Amino acid sequence: MPHAAPGRLRSVVTGLGCYLPKRIVSNADLEKCLDTTDEWIVQRTGIRQRHVAAEDEPTSQLALLAAKAALADAGIAAADLDLVIVATSTPDYTFPAVAVQVQAGLGMTNGVAFDLQAVCSGFVFAVATADKFLTSGSHRRALVVGAETFSRLLDWSDRSTCVLFGDGAGAIVLEARPGQGTASDRGVLTSHLRSDGRHREKLYVDGGPSTTRSVGHLRMAGREVFRHAVGMVADVVTDAFSATGTTAADLDWFVPHQANKRIIEASAEKLAIAPEKVVCTVDLHANTSAASVPLALSVARDDGRIKPGDLVMIEAMGGGFTWGSALIRW
Ligand code: UT7
C-alpha cells in the first residue's frame, strides 16, 4: 500500500471583517486648505478620498470593530481564539499594545496578544507570523488585524505626504486545519518577508518616546520610495510563486498594498499578472498602511470577487524598508 502524502497544518482564513471611520475627506476638501488639486492627486496616485478617524476614535477602537466583524464572519466567539496580533504603527499609547486592548475589548482572557510593527508591510508580516504559530501546532485560532490612524501622524501642511494616507482597520481569522502539503490546500501556502534598514531615512516618523518624547510627523522621499517599491514587491511575489510551483497565470486575485495606483499597475505588469485580477481600492481608502491589504480583501470578498478556493496573493512594501508577500488559497 503506498503511503499517503504526509499532511501538514495550514492556516485557513475562516473570517474577514473591516471598519472604516465615518468621516470621508475628498480630494476636493483638501483643495480648500492645501496648494493641491484633485487632478494632481488622482493622476499621481489614483486616490480620490480617504476616511479620517474622529478625535475620540483611537486605533484600538477601529481594530476592535474590525475584529468583531471578522469573528462574526467566522461564526466563532472570542474565547475560541488563542492568538491576537495587531499590525500597527499608530498605537493609542506607547504601551500597552493595541492587541491587548482588543483582547480586553473582546472579553477574551485566554491566549496571547501582541502588536507587530512593520509599517505598511505590517499585515503581511502579521499573517506570516500567525501562520508560524498555527502551523507549529502551538496555537489553534488567530485573529490578525491591521489598524491605523495615520491621520494623527501627518503634517497637514506638507502636501507631498498628507494627501496620501487614510485611517481604517481590517481583520482576518486564521484557523489551523490539516492539509495535504500541496498548493491545492486551503490556507496560507507560503510567505516571504524582507527588510533592509539602510533605507530608514526614505520613509520615517521624526519623533518617538526615546528621541523627541513626542509623536512626530511622517516624512517621506516619495520618489525614492517609488523607485524601490516595484522591484522589491516583484522579488517577494516571485519567491512565493517559486516556493509553491505556481505562476501568475494560476492566481485568481492579486491584492497588493494600496499606496499608489501607479505602483500597483507597474508591479502587476512586471509580474505578468492580468489587470483584471488586480484588486485596487486606493481610490476609496488612500494608503491606510497596515490596514490596506485587509481592507482591499474585504472589498473584493464582499463584492463577490474573492471566493473559497481562489488563489490570492497579498503583498506590501513600506517604511524600514520592509516588504513581504503571502500566497493564500481562500
Ligand atoms: O506605503 C509606503 C510606500 N509609500 C509609497 O509607496 C509612496 C511612494 N511614492 C509615491 O507614491 C509618489 O512618489 C508620490 C505620489 C508621493 C509623488 O509622486 P511623484 O510622481 O513621485 O511626484 P514628485 O514627488 O516627483 O513631485 C512632482 C511635483 C513636485 O513639483 P516640482 O518639484 O516638480 O515642481 C511636487 O512639489 O509634484 C509636486 N507635488 C504636488 N503638487 C500638487 C507634490 N505633492 C503635491 C500635491 N499637489 N499634493
Side-chain angles (χ1 to χ4, degrees), residues 226 230 254 256-269 278-282 315:
F226 198 128
V230 177
F254 180 54
H257 171 49
Q258 308 285 321
N260 186 314
K261 193 163 187 271
R262 289 186 296 147
I263 295 176
I264 292 171
E265 288 171 351
S267 304
E269 193 181 336
V278 179
V279 174
C280 188
T281 52
V282 72
E315 56 85 346

Coordinates of all heavy atoms in Angstrom, one line a residue, residues 226 230 254 256-269 278-282 315:
F226 N 9.1 55.2 -4.3 CA 8.5 54.7 -5.5 C 9.6 53.9 -6.3 O 9.3 52.8 -6.8 CB 8.0 55.9 -6.4 CG 7.1 55.5 -7.4 CD1 5.8 56.2 -7.5 CD2 7.3 54.6 -8.4 CE1 4.9 55.9 -8.5 CE2 6.4 54.3 -9.4 CZ 5.2 54.9 -9.4
V230 N 8.6 48.8 -6.8 CA 8.2 47.8 -7.7 C 9.1 46.6 -7.7 O 8.7 45.4 -7.7 CB 8.1 48.4 -9.1 CG1 7.7 47.3 -10.2 CG2 7.0 49.5 -9.2
F254 N -4.8 39.3 -7.2 CA -3.6 40.0 -6.7 C -4.1 41.1 -5.8 O -4.7 42.1 -6.3 CB -2.8 40.5 -7.9 CG -1.5 41.2 -7.5 CD1 -0.5 40.6 -6.7 CD2 -1.2 42.5 -8.1 CE1 0.7 41.2 -6.4 CE2 0.0 43.1 -7.8 CZ 0.9 42.5 -7.0
P256 N -2.6 43.8 -3.6 CA -1.3 44.5 -3.1 C -1.6 45.5 -2.1 O -2.8 46.0 -1.9 CB -0.8 45.2 -4.4 CG -2.1 45.4 -5.2 CD -3.1 44.4 -4.9
H257 N -0.6 46.0 -1.4 CA -0.7 47.1 -0.5 C -1.1 48.3 -1.4 O -0.7 48.5 -2.6 CB 0.7 47.4 0.1 CG 0.8 48.7 0.8 ND1 -0.2 49.1 1.7 CD2 1.7 49.8 0.7 CE1 0.1 50.3 2.2 NE2 1.2 50.7 1.6
Q258 N -2.0 49.1 -0.8 CA -2.6 50.2 -1.6 C -2.0 51.5 -1.3 O -2.4 52.3 -0.4 CB -4.1 50.3 -1.3 CG -4.8 48.9 -1.5 CD -5.1 48.5 -2.9 OE1 -5.4 49.4 -3.7 NE2 -4.9 47.3 -3.2
A259 N -0.8 51.8 -1.9 CA -0.2 53.1 -1.7 C -0.3 54.0 -2.9 O -0.6 55.2 -2.7 CB 1.3 52.9 -1.4
N260 N -0.3 53.5 -4.1 CA -0.3 54.3 -5.3 C -0.7 53.4 -6.5 O -0.1 52.3 -6.7 CB 1.1 54.8 -5.5 CG 1.2 55.8 -6.6 OD1 0.7 55.6 -7.7 ND2 1.9 56.9 -6.4
K261 N -1.7 53.8 -7.2 CA -2.2 53.1 -8.3 C -1.1 52.8 -9.3 O -1.0 51.7 -9.9 CB -3.3 53.8 -9.0 CG -4.1 53.1 -10.0 CD -5.4 53.8 -10.2 CE -6.4 53.0 -11.1 NZ -6.2 53.2 -12.5
R262 N -0.2 53.7 -9.5 CA 0.9 53.5 -10.5 C 1.9 52.4 -10.0 O 2.4 51.7 -10.9 CB 1.7 54.8 -10.7 CG 0.8 55.9 -11.5 CD 1.7 57.1 -11.9 NE 2.1 57.8 -10.7 CZ 3.3 58.4 -10.5 NH1 4.1 58.5 -11.5 NH2 3.6 59.1 -9.4
I263 N 2.1 52.3 -8.7 CA 3.0 51.3 -8.2 C 2.3 49.9 -8.4 O 2.9 48.9 -8.8 CB 3.3 51.5 -6.7 CG1 4.2 52.8 -6.5 CG2 4.1 50.3 -6.1 CD1 4.5 53.1 -5.1
I264 N 1.0 49.9 -8.1 CA 0.2 48.6 -8.2 C 0.2 48.2 -9.7 O 0.5 47.0 -10.0 CB -1.2 48.9 -7.7 CG1 -1.2 49.1 -6.2 CG2 -2.1 47.7 -8.1 CD1 -2.6 49.5 -5.6
E265 N 0.0 49.1 -10.6 CA -0.1 48.7 -12.0 C 1.3 48.3 -12.5 O 1.4 47.3 -13.3 CB -0.6 49.9 -12.9 CG -2.1 50.1 -12.6 CD -2.7 51.3 -13.3 OE1 -1.9 52.2 -13.8 OE2 -3.9 51.5 -13.2
A266 N 2.3 49.0 -12.1 CA 3.7 48.6 -12.6 C 4.1 47.3 -12.0 O 4.8 46.5 -12.7 CB 4.7 49.7 -12.2
S267 N 3.7 47.0 -10.8 CA 4.1 45.7 -10.2 C 3.4 44.6 -10.9 O 4.0 43.6 -11.2 CB 3.7 45.7 -8.7 OG 4.3 46.8 -8.0
A268 N 2.1 44.8 -11.1 CA 1.3 43.7 -11.8 C 1.9 43.5 -13.2 O 2.1 42.3 -13.6 CB -0.1 44.1 -11.9
E269 N 2.3 44.5 -13.9 CA 2.8 44.4 -15.3 C 4.1 43.6 -15.2 O 4.4 42.7 -16.0 CB 3.0 45.8 -15.9 CG 3.2 45.7 -17.4 CD 3.4 47.1 -18.0 OE1 2.9 48.1 -17.4 OE2 4.1 47.1 -19.1
V278 N -6.3 42.3 -10.6 CA -5.7 43.2 -9.6 C -6.8 43.9 -8.8 O -7.7 44.5 -9.4 CB -4.8 44.2 -10.3 CG1 -4.2 45.2 -9.3 CG2 -3.7 43.5 -11.1
V279 N -6.7 43.8 -7.5 CA -7.7 44.5 -6.6 C -7.1 45.8 -6.2 O -6.0 45.8 -5.6 CB -8.1 43.6 -5.4 CG1 -9.0 44.4 -4.4 CG2 -8.7 42.3 -5.8
C280 N -7.8 46.9 -6.6 CA -7.3 48.2 -6.3 C -8.4 49.0 -5.6 O -9.5 49.2 -6.1 CB -6.9 48.9 -7.7 SG -6.1 50.5 -7.4
T281 N -8.1 49.4 -4.4 CA -9.0 50.2 -3.6 C -8.4 51.5 -3.1 O -8.9 52.2 -2.2 CB -9.5 49.4 -2.3 OG1 -8.3 48.9 -1.6 CG2 -10.3 48.2 -2.7
V282 N -7.2 51.8 -3.7 CA -6.6 53.1 -3.2 C -7.4 54.3 -3.5 O -7.3 55.3 -2.8 CB -5.2 53.2 -3.9 CG1 -5.2 53.5 -5.3 CG2 -4.2 54.1 -3.1
E315 N 0.6 41.3 -0.9 CA 2.0 41.8 -0.8 C 1.9 43.2 -0.2 O 0.9 43.9 -0.4 CB 2.7 41.7 -2.1 CG 2.1 42.4 -3.3 CD 2.4 43.9 -3.4 OE1 2.9 44.5 -2.5 OE2 2.0 44.5 -4.5

